[in-house]
Amino acid sequence: MTQEDLARRVGVRRQTILAIEKGHYVPSTLLAFQIARELGMRVDDLFELIDEEEVCE
Amino acid sequence: MKSEMDLLRMDERQRLAWLMANRGTVVAVGAIWTTMIVWELAHGRAPLFLIVMVPVFALLRVGLYFFYSRTPQGLGGEGTPGRFGLIVKITAAVLLALAIFLPLYSVDDSESGHAWQLAIDDPVAAIPLGFAFLWPLAVLLLSRTLSGRTAGVVLHVLEPLIAAASSIVILLIPQMIFEFQMLVFIPVPLPVRAAIGCYMAVVANGLYVVGWLSEFLRPRVKPRVPSISRGGK
């Protein structure tokens, strides 16, 4: 599945999928669940919570 | 209410970027507004309108924040706060009615003219003045009684035209009262200068049209929200 396909299925622009992949944009809970559903995965497998200290390091 | 973001079919990331851009624009406008106030004060002039509108904008900002924070409206445009248009229209009606008690025009920068004074001095002028300043209250009351009827629909369609007529009457007051020959849509001629009440009345009419537009653009069909809980626990 391409970024374009995924974007179309969840109703966002391809650039938004790209921004999520690069970590430039944190999706809403709704969009996260929609992406997970389309990819047949769990949200936990796609996203993880990172402490700010870890990001700073 | 259908926003410009809905019309542009923005997704949630674009909406966030759009809102950030709005915030940046507001900050820039605020900086320019403050500079204009300082500039006028530095030149010995009292920019009453610029100063008075600062707390008005602040109150509007706080009011809108509490309104939206209590309305189920997500970044994806879920929810249809149909009351928004009505609240804006009521606010405009109150502002327009309050403008009756504010100075409308000053002659030679000395003598101020208030709408209520002008109406008492000249009973003939009281009719157009009453229409110009109180029409939203009358329309809001009438629209409640005429709700759903043909007359109510016609009244609703005519509202922006009435707002325009009200603004023209307010701008023509100097001609009516002081017998100045003034062309429509040309600023009030010297030595009559528009004052805070005149500006506020015209802005209130514009605000009413904004409320009318938001009602007009409101989606009539409830948006379909994707169900992510289907089949869940």
Side-chain angles (χ1 to χ4, degrees), chain B residues 99-114:
Chain B
I100 293 175
F101 304 101
L102 293 174
L104 270 185
Y105 293 94
S106 61
V107 182
D108 287 335
D109 283 337
S110 57
E111 195 178 329
S112 297
H114 295 66

Side-chain angles (χ1 to χ4, degrees), chain A residues 12 25-28 31, chain B residues 10-17 75:
Chain A
V12 298
Y25 175 65
V26 179
S28 67
L31 182 56
Chain B
M10 288 182 173
D11 69 24
E12 61 180 47
R13 182 186 58 88
Q14 290 171 312
R15 285 166 189 266
L16 208 56
L75 278 176

Side-chain angles (χ1 to χ4, degrees), chain B residues 112-125:
Chain B
S112 297
H114 295 66
W116 64 272
Q117 282 178 333
L118 299 173
I120 291 173
D121 293 344
D122 186 353
V124 177

Side-chain angles (χ1 to χ4, degrees), chain B residues 152-201:
Chain B
V153 175
V154 171
L155 187 68
H156 185 62
V157 172
L158 287 177
E159 283 175 21
L161 295 177
I162 302 173
S166 163
S167 294
I168 290 171
V169 167
I170 290 164
L171 290 170
L172 286 178
I173 286 173
Q175 188 176 1
M176 295 191 309
I177 307 296
F178 305 109
E179 296 181 355
F180 272 93
Q181 293 301 313
M182 188 180 77
L183 294 169
V184 179
F185 303 124
I186 299 295
V188 178
L190 292 172
V192 181
R193 292 176 187 278
I196 179 70
C198 182
Y199 292 123
M200 198 164 106

Side-chain angles (χ1 to χ4, degrees), chain B:
Chain B
M1 181 181 65
K2 214 171 203 174
S3 72
E4 75 281 9
M5 295 181 284
D6 297 320
L7 295 173
L8 292 169
R9 297 177 185 280
M10 288 182 173
D11 69 24
E12 61 180 47
R13 182 186 58 88
Q14 290 171 312
R15 285 166 189 266
L16 208 56
W18 185 261
L19 293 174
M20 295 289 277
N22 284 355
R23 190 176 70 171
T25 308
V26 168
V27 170
V29 169
I32 293 169
W33 196 276
T34 308
T35 307
M36 284 165 66
I37 291 174
V38 173
W39 176 270
E40 291 292 311
L41 289 174
H43 286 75
R45 293 186 290 264
L48 284 178
F49 177 72
L50 295 177
I51 294 171
V52 166
M53 287 312 285
V54 171
V56 171
F57 285 140
L59 281 173
L60 186 66
R61 173 70 178 75
V62 172
L64 285 175
Y65 170 76
F66 281 109
F67 172 73
Y68 281 121
S69 63
R70 290 172 187 183
T71 307
Q73 174 110 0
L75 278 176
E78 296 89 354
T80 53
R83 287 185 306 151
F84 175 77
L86 183 63
I87 289 172
V88 171
K89 284 161 83 171
I90 291 171
T91 306
V94 171
L95 285 176
L96 199 57
L98 284 177
I100 293 175
F101 304 101
L102 293 174
L104 270 185
Y105 293 94
S106 61
V107 182
D108 287 335
D109 283 337
S110 57
E111 195 178 329
S112 297
H114 295 66
W116 64 272
Q117 282 178 333
L118 299 173
I120 291 173
D121 293 344
D122 186 353
V124 177
I127 297 167
L129 283 170
F131 155 74
F133 288 94
L134 299 174
W135 75 268
L137 291 175
V139 165
L140 286 171
L141 287 172
L142 262 178
S143 60
R144 284 186 71 85
T145 54
L146 296 174
S147 180
R149 297 184 191 168
T150 310
V153 175
V154 171
L155 187 68
H156 185 62
V157 172
L158 287 177
E159 283 175 21
L161 295 177
I162 302 173
S166 163
S167 294
I168 290 171
V169 167
I170 290 164
L171 290 170
L172 286 178
I173 286 173
Q175 188 176 1
M176 295 191 309
I177 307 296
F178 305 109
E179 296 181 355
F180 272 93
Q181 293 301 313
M182 188 180 77
L183 294 169
V184 179
F185 303 124
I186 299 295
V188 178
L190 292 172
V192 181
R193 292 176 187 278
I196 179 70
C198 182
Y199 292 123
M200 198 164 106
V202 174
V203 167
N205 272 324
L207 192 64
Y208 192 94
V209 175
V210 169
W212 179 84
L213 270 175
S214 72
E215 281 184 339
F216 194 75
L217 294 174
R218 187 177 44 154
R220 298 291 189 264
V221 180
K222 192 178 178 184
R224 188 174 65 85
V225 180
S227 171
I228 58 169
S229 59
R230 194 179 298 158
K233 292 174 185 174

